[in-house]
Amino acid sequence: LAVADTVAAGQFGLENSEAMDQRPSGKLPTLTPLPPPSAAINCRSVTLRVDAETGAGLEMTAHSYGYHVDQVEDQPGQDLKPGDVLLSVDGEALWGDLSEDELTEAFGREFADGATVLVARADEVQGCHVWQPLGLDLSCRAVPLVAALREDLGIMGNNFG
């Protein structure tokens, strides 16, 4: 997505073939390599317990990576502790470029007794890449980016052959 974001934002500055010739050696800018997988963090899956009367017994606040667990009540009891961050619930990602309302809506769509949440420690996710199991489908978030990338590639193809 870093390449797509750069292309979509027009950061290459390639408006025609003359612009390409004006770059030193005619080379495109070098892309920063991604960090190795060892820079990723491990996550764990937890099954939520939600009681019809007492709820989930969690106090949480919005966090850039999802919901930060501030407090866990004794009932109904969770395999969570303060300082955990809920990254997704039943495959619905809770991190990314979400407003607090979008985060609340995403969590609410999947929140239920028996829902599976992907969890990591807040101090470990800050500034890190999150290692995600293959079953986590984020394709719905990529649709607008893919469409923009296809459009940009079409324009580039028409301009540069």
Side-chain angles (χ1 to χ4, degrees), residues 15-93:
E15 299 189 14
N16 56 42
S17 58
E18 290 177 27
M20 182 67 172
D21 295 336
Q22 292 171 3
R23 290 200 172 269
S25 307
K27 294 182 181 178
L28 289 174
T30 329
L31 299 175
T32 306
L34 294 174
S38 61
I41 62 161
N42 288 319
C43 303
R44 67 186 196 280
S45 292
V46 172
T47 302
L48 282 180
R49 291 184 285 278
V50 181
D51 183 79
E53 292 181 25
T54 61
L58 294 170
E59 286 188 28
M60 303 183 295
T61 53
H63 184 278
S64 58
Y65 288 93
Y67 270 115
H68 182 272
V69 177
D70 299 320
Q71 185 175 341
V72 181
E73 301 294 327
D74 292 335
Q75 294 299 319
Q78 304 291 345
D79 295 324
L80 299 166
K81 56 187 172 191
D84 283 340
V85 175
L86 308 185
L87 304 168
S88 72
V89 56
D90 274 351
E92 179 77 30

